[in-house]
Amino acid sequence: MPFQFDSSRYTRFVSLTERATNGPSIQFTTDQDWSVLVEAHAPGVFRLRIDTTAEGETTSRAARPSSQRYELLARDEAIGEALFEAVDGGFRLTQGEDVLNVLTNPLRISLSRKGVPVLTSIDEPELSAFGVGGLVGDDTQDREWTVGFALQEGEAVYGLGENVYDLDRRGEVLSTDDAAARVLPLAWSTRGWGVYVNTAGATVHNVGVDAAAGYLAGWRDINLDVFMFLGDPSEILNQYSQLTGRAGQPPLWAMGAWVRQARGAAPELAVDLAAQLRERGIAFDTVTLDTPGAWDVRSRLALEWDGKRFPDPRQLLGNFKRHDARVVLPGFPGVLQSSTMFEELEDKGWLLTDATGGAHAFPGVAATGGEAFGLLDLTHKDVWTFWRDKLRQFQDDGVDAVACDAQIEMPDDIVGRHGDSASRLRTAYPLLVKRCLFEAASWNKTPAEGVVLSRDLLPGAQRLPWQAATPVANTWDGLIESIRAALTVGSSGVPVHMHDVGNPDMPTDALTPELYLRWLGAAVFSGNLRLQGSPGLLPWDFDEETQAHVRTWLQFRYRLIPYVLGVIEDSARTGLPVQRSMPMAFPDDPDAHKYGLQYLLGPALLIVPIVQPGTTVTVYLPKGDAWWDMSTGWRYEGGTTWTIEVGMDRLPVFGREGHMLCLGPAAQHTGEFNSARILDEVWLFGMPIHNPSVMRNKIRVMQMQGSSYVKGLEGLKILPSEGLEVKRRGAEVRISRAR
């Protein structure tokens, strides 16, 4: 990426002239005849858009902003209300307590809440606050854009994608053209601001590096389109997810433990693995089969089972079902170059092309068994429909979900049907793949539910569960990195991140029984987890005591499913992730931010992973609430630090006062759940104040005269915390202070 972030390469915008006011928006014209839209997009959200034409509209699909072409916004229309007024040197938009000042000569902005400045443009001559560069390439209308916002000394910036080293992104330069960078477009600060760059074009984020005094973003697209948020992190995630779309619902079976087939093993051996897990009493729901892809495209326009690996797929899938196991198959939108189908699809224009005008042959990947391939051009509507409908046939055969990583290296000369460039396709193509897979998985379900297991990370990823685990080493440092990856992805707007317990592609020498159990314990308190079916990572590769702990941990995972699925359902309403970092959950408690590996699981549980050998761990309990130790029942005041001893069968987990934890029954798989009685027991953490997070929640809490009255707990065992008494009154439960 050639972005330099200096005024010699960018034209700064000056001399804005008001042109029209329409509802919550106002339009200006610059001295270079650019169209500027400033908008109170929603409560706490402002939008700044600069278009390359006076009307701000284009008709050619190839010339439309990439955010429109790939539908990055779930809600494009403004729903905010604002008061506009002219001020010295510019204009002001006011909506409630939030104010956006737009200043000219050059164009700058200042955002404030309750009169306190929160976000301002960089105002230094050598840096462009808002600028535009020249046209990019010979046959595109894209331009280079840059925006810059000031950062305070020591101010941390969160979001922007996955990072295994730190939650704070300050000091990094991140490029979407580098798939390994794992970049997402949302940045925010505990000062109360958030920024979303709305583009699928190639983007660079410079977060306070070198001469940059602040956060700079540069990208390629036909227009500049930036959303700015005001509020605490929960408000920012809420507004961001309303704007860009929220996650679909996963099926119940996806919440149970997953198991990955051993590398290179035949599918029949995965059936044997499922049988052994059942015989040993190790709870699980799903088996994921290894690459290459399960289907083949060779001789005609069809997707067919790979006959060599799956000679009788229906029988194989039936064998899994006999062990109550769900099946996730690997898939890939590629056509082998060695097949006759490659030439036929090339003639039809159904494959991505390169500078030669012919179908591009990509080097082999794991999904193609190492063979060179062409990629189906999913920007072509007919190709999209073809692939989706063929995927549905596999669902009809009994496949429960598809795993597919499509974020691969694309040379600069790759072109899609509508002129989509490689820089856009690096972002857009894996998004199109995931959408197609989800549509195929959820086509006959109301509401739409399904999972698409993928490592791809890109704008729009928050709409499509499931985010696959981050590959790490089988070491204590690997455990730490896996936790940070989940927390940074969650801070960037993706609600669910899977945790793999071990990595079959890394040495297992350092994977002691202690590390294995600590890893499993942390993974149990997450959105989702997956065990490994490879030698050295199987539960029975460890001693009998370790295996007993594994069974106990997994049993508790199944008891947690109603709570975790309830948290995921909440994320579809709030945009908050399942695992919430300390800066996200407690933005006003800087002491909590120092404990970057602790996290909230949903609103009620504070999890303290053990990430080093030994039985002693330091715990910080955030201010503002009291906390109840789930193991001992002891109550601790917030804002305190404790050193706790924990055995191999424990993890420091604390319930937040005022909340309750609803647990289901112990089970070997979700098929054993009674849908009419999904709950079994309720744990109280002090006097309940909040309605609990629980799937299909029908439990309601009401307070009156110092007591709490709860409806929806019929038939459930209630475990009150110390100092409370419980009395049942028909369908209602009264919880009050013990006398």
Side-chain angles (χ1 to χ4, degrees):
M1 288 289 296
F3 297 116
Q4 301 297 320
F5 300 113
D6 62 67
S7 56
S8 67
R9 301 187 68 253
Y10 292 91
T11 302
R12 305 182 85 180
F13 293 101
V14 296
S15 303
L16 271 73
T17 303
E18 183 179 349
R19 195 177 73 195
T21 301
N22 181 17
S25 64
I26 184 169
Q27 286 186 312
F28 304 91
T29 302
T30 72
D31 53 342
Q32 298 106 342
D33 198 31
W34 297 83
S35 175
V36 179
L37 174 73
V38 182
E39 187 173 70
H41 193 79
V45 185
F46 294 92
R47 183 181 194 177
L48 177 64
R49 176 169 169 168
I50 303 176
D51 285 300
T52 57
T53 65
E55 295 301 321
E57 297 291 340
T58 54
T59 55
S60 167
R61 184 182 187 278
R64 290 166 56 193
S66 61
S67 61
Q68 294 180 14
R69 293 164 64 182
Y70 305 120
E71 300 177 348
L72 296 185
L73 296 184
R75 187 197 66 215
D76 191 54
E77 69 281 2
I79 59 172
E81 297 180 357
L83 172 67
F84 297 94
E85 55 186 322
V87 296
D88 290 341
F91 303 86
R92 176 179 297 158
L93 290 76
T94 303
Q95 50 174 348
E97 299 175 326
D98 300 328
V99 176
L100 170 65
N101 286 302
V102 181
L103 305 176
T104 61
N105 197 27
L107 172 61
R108 291 156 293 151
I109 63 96
S110 174
L111 278 165
S112 62
R113 171 167 279 193
K114 297 181 179 180
V116 178
V118 175
L119 182 68
T120 60
S121 297
I122 291 178
D123 191 17
E124 299 180 21
E126 69 273 16
L127 296 170
S128 296
F130 295 91
V132 59
L135 289 168
V136 179
D138 299 327
D139 58 349
T140 176
Q141 298 186 44
D142 281 358
R143 293 180 180 266
E144 290 185 0
W145 301 90
T146 180
V147 300
F149 300 99
L151 295 176
Q152 291 186 351
E153 184 176 355
E155 180 179 0
V157 177
Y158 301 99
L160 292 176
E162 180 184 286
N163 187 12
V164 299
Y165 303 110
D166 200 342
L167 304 185
D168 181 6
R169 311 312 300 268
R170 186 96 180 236
E172 293 188 69
V173 177
L174 308 166
S175 172
T176 60
D177 260 8
D178 177 11
R182 316 277 297 148
V183 181
L184 288 172
L186 174 68
W188 56 268
S189 165
T190 55
R191 276 182 62 204
W193 61 262
V195 172
Y196 164 56
V197 177
N198 182 39
T199 180
T203 308
V204 170
H205 302 267
N206 181 323
V207 194
V209 176
D210 302 327
Y215 164 46
L216 294 159
W219 67 96
R220 291 173 173 171
D221 210 331
I222 193 172
N223 70 338
L224 180 152
D225 196 8
V226 175
F227 290 85
M228 297 159 286
F229 306 89
L230 286 170
D232 63 35
S234 62
E235 293 176 291
I236 292 170
L237 267 291
N238 184 9
Q239 289 289 6
Y240 170 72
S241 59
Q242 282 193 45
L243 178 69
T244 59
R246 290 172 171 166
Q249 291 294 315
L252 179 61
W253 60 262
M255 303 304 303
W258 294 36
V259 183
R260 178 159 58 179
Q261 173 193 18
R263 291 294 193 201
E268 293 78 9
L269 295 179
V271 177
D272 296 338
L273 172 63
Q276 291 184 63
L277 291 166
R278 290 283 179 245
E279 291 171 3
R280 294 172 184 266
I282 297 173
F284 81 99
D285 263 86
T286 304
V287 176
T288 59
L289 299 188
D290 193 26
T291 53
W295 51 77
D296 196 6
V297 180
R298 288 189 177 273
S299 59
R300 56 193 178 90
L301 195 58
L303 288 183
E304 297 180 347
W305 287 92
D306 183 341
K308 294 181 179 179
R309 296 175 62 219
F310 302 94
D312 191 342
R314 289 185 178 274
Q315 179 179 355
L316 178 71
L317 294 172
N319 290 337
F320 279 111
K321 303 305 180 189
R322 279 193 284 275
H323 297 296
D324 298 298
R326 303 281 181 162
V327 181
V328 176
L329 290 177
F332 193 67
V335 180
L336 299 182
Q337 186 185 20
S338 60
S339 68
T340 56
M341 196 64 225
F342 183 92
E343 294 182 4
E344 183 177 339
L345 292 181
E346 182 179 30
D347 291 341
K348 290 174 66 69
W350 278 27
L351 300 176
L352 294 180
T353 61
D354 55 26
T356 68
H360 182 78
F362 293 84
V365 295
T368 64
E371 293 191 50
F373 62 92
L375 276 179
L376 293 174
D377 186 352
L378 296 178
T379 66
H380 188 320
K381 183 178 179 181
D382 292 343
V383 182
W384 164 283
T385 303
F386 157 75
W387 201 52
R388 180 202 62 194
D389 292 346
K390 293 301 179 181
L391 290 168
R392 287 176 177 173
Q393 294 179 11
F394 288 90
Q395 302 276 342
D396 291 341
D397 284 344
V399 175
D400 295 288
V402 173
C404 181
D405 291 337
Q407 202 163 22
I408 62 174
E409 185 63 35
M410 288 196 179
D412 290 339
D413 62 349
I414 296 297
V415 181
R417 178 178 177 82
H418 297 285
D420 304 85
S421 64
S423 63
R424 295 185 186 212
L425 288 171
R426 290 182 188 115
T427 295
Y429 191 81
L431 176 61
L432 294 170
V433 170
K434 293 181 75 168
R435 285 180 177 170
C436 195
L437 287 166
F438 186 78
E439 192 171 311
S442 61
W443 72 279
N444 61 348
K445 302 177 179 66
T446 304
E449 67 172 34
V451 291
V452 178
L453 183 64
S454 171
R455 273 279 295 151
D456 298 337
L457 202 57
L458 42 100
Q462 75 281 353
R463 301 188 199 179
L464 303 160
W466 229 230
Q467 188 63 37
T470 303
V472 296
N474 295 311
T475 62
W476 289 100
D477 286 343
L479 170 57
I480 291 171
E481 291 173 0
S482 70
I483 295 169
R484 285 204 192 107
L487 296 181
T488 51
V489 169
S491 294
S492 306
V494 178
V496 182
H497 189 278
M498 176 178 277
H499 287 259
D500 277 350
V501 183
N503 182 352
D505 299 320
M506 298 294 287
T508 60
D509 308 19
L511 191 64
T512 63
E514 179 184 14
L515 172 55
Y516 187 82
L517 288 176
R518 296 306 193 195
W519 207 316
L520 176 61
V524 162
F525 292 95
S526 73
N528 192 238
L529 76 154
R530 181 168 65 171
L531 305 176
Q532 307 300 322
S534 299
L537 295 169
L538 289 159
W540 49 85
D541 288 332
F542 301 96
D543 57 69
E544 288 294 336
E545 182 180 0
T546 300
Q547 293 181 54
H549 288 317
V550 169
R551 284 188 283 268
T552 300
W553 274 122
L554 290 174
Q555 285 289 294
F556 194 74
R557 168 65 192 187
Y558 277 79
R559 299 202 68 196
L560 273 175
I561 284 177
Y563 173 72
V564 178
L565 188 50
V567 174
I568 294 176
E569 290 174 356
D570 287 344
S571 74
R573 294 185 289 270
T574 66
L576 288 172
V578 174
Q579 292 174 264
R580 305 168 189 177
S581 68
M582 293 293 95
M584 173 181 287
F586 305 99
D588 298 325
D589 187 353
D591 291 331
H593 304 176
K594 302 172 186 177
Y595 294 81
L597 296 177
Q598 293 185 181
Y599 58 89
L600 276 187
L601 182 71
L605 300 181
L606 177 68
I607 314 301
V608 185
I610 299 176
V611 295
Q612 61 185 13
T615 59
T616 302
V617 63
T618 299
V619 175
Y620 176 77
L621 302 174
K623 299 173 184 176
D625 295 287
W627 301 88
W628 295 79
D629 189 326
M630 280 180 48
S631 296
T632 65
W634 295 348
R635 181 182 185 274
Y636 297 85
E637 291 292 341
T640 57
T641 304
W642 300 86
T643 299
I644 296 177
E645 289 289 326
V646 284
M648 299 303 295
D649 60 340
R650 286 185 54 202
L651 192 70
V653 179
F654 296 83
R656 196 175 192 174
E657 187 157 270
H659 291 259
M660 62 177 73
L661 175 64
C662 298
L663 298 172
Q668 287 294 303
H669 55 87
T670 55
E672 293 182 348
F673 285 5
N674 182 347
S675 59
R677 185 182 170 84
I678 201 72
L679 298 179
D680 182 63
E681 191 170 81
V682 177
W683 295 5
L684 303 183
F685 306 127
M687 183 73 71
I689 298 173
H690 307 281
N691 294 330
S693 287
V694 61
M695 58 184 292
R696 307 163 194 163
N697 190 2
K698 296 182 180 179
I699 300 173
R700 295 292 178 263
V701 178
M702 181 182 69
Q703 288 187 291
M704 187 169 54
Q705 297 180 344
S707 297
S708 290
Y709 296 84
V710 188
K711 293 185 177 181
L713 300 182
E714 297 91 340
L716 302 183
K717 183 179 180 181
I718 301 174
L719 299 182
S721 48
E722 185 177 356
L724 298 180
E725 63 179 17
V726 176
K727 294 183 179 179
R728 296 183 184 271
R729 296 182 174 182
E732 187 176 73
V733 173
R734 177 190 175 188
I735 302 167
S736 56
R737 305 288 180 188
R739 297 180 180 179

